């Protein structure tokens, strides 16, 4: 549900269903990891933390690469366009599967046109314009919530069958 001046878009994979937390799941952290996005060094630390999280979940090397690439794009967007923010790493579960959920928050100006921002080639900076759309394609579930002048939250989940 969105309020005045607030926009949301869920990726083609469908609405993210928040399942029970991962507490009690063998080998999965019960508490989320929260990292700050304030510098270039933070971007590197985020890549390493997300790679470690993909190993915890048991992703294949291909899925590890997908998730780390998506995390890198989302964190870089928060750093460049949102003036910094946070990334939250969680381990949702559903029957027969465990996932890795990344929630990236910033308090930047928001995204005026989400559809345009997800289009390849669209950029408001010096990049190639593949960040958001590319990240969406790499994950199973993808949602953007933004408010003009009030920041952006991107939630992206990749699932691994167990």
């Amino acid at each position: 549900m969105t309020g005045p001046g607030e926009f949301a878009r869920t990726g083609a994979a469908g609405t993210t269903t928040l399942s029970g937390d991962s507490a009690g799941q063998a080998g999965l952290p019960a508490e989320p990891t929260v990292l700050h996005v304030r510098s270039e060094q933070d971007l590197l630390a985020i890549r390493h933390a997300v790679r470690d999280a993909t190993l915890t979940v048991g992703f294949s090397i291909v899925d590890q690469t997908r998730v780390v690439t998506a995390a890198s794009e989302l964190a870089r967007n928060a750093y460049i366009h949102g003036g910094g923010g946070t990334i939250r790493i969680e381990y949702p579960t559903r029957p027969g599967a465990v996932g890795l959920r990344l929630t990236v928050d910033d308090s930047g100006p928001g995204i005026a046109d989400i559809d345009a921002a997800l289009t390849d080639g669209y950029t408001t900076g010096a990049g190639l314009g593949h960040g958001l759309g590319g990240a969406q394609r790499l994950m199973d579930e993808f949602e953007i919530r933004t408010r003009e002048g009030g920041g952006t939250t991107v939630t992206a989940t990749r699932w691994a069958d167990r």
Side-chain angles (χ1 to χ4, degrees), residues 1-2 6-10 114 143-146:
M1 191 183 301
T2 59
E6 188 175 353
F7 308 95
R9 167 113 191 252
T10 300
I114 293 174
E143 181 181 47
I144 300 174
R145 295 178 100 27
T146 189

Side-chain angles (χ1 to χ4, degrees), residues 21-30:
D21 66 8
S22 58
Q25 294 288 324
L28 296 177

Side-chain angles (χ1 to χ4, degrees), residues 53-122:
T54 65
L55 293 172
T56 298
V57 171
F59 283 130
S60 69
I61 188 69
V62 172
D63 282 343
Q64 290 174 38
T65 303
R66 287 179 177 136
V67 174
V68 170
T69 301
S72 182
E73 292 292 341
L74 296 173
R76 183 165 290 285
N77 278 352
Y79 174 61
I80 292 172
H81 301 292
T86 60
I87 183 168
R88 182 180 178 108
I89 303 169
E90 298 174 282
Y91 303 88
T93 59
R94 65 182 185 195
V98 64
L100 186 60
R101 178 172 295 128
L102 308 173
T103 303
V104 182
D105 287 304
D106 69 50
S107 49
I111 301 172
D113 186 343
I114 293 174
D115 289 327
L118 289 168
T119 302
D120 281 346
Y122 177 84

Side-chain angles (χ1 to χ4, degrees), residues 8-11 14-16 141-145 153-156:
R9 167 113 191 252
T10 300
T15 303
T16 300
E141 298 172 359
F142 193 87
E143 181 181 47
I144 300 174
R145 295 178 100 27
T153 300
V154 178
T155 304

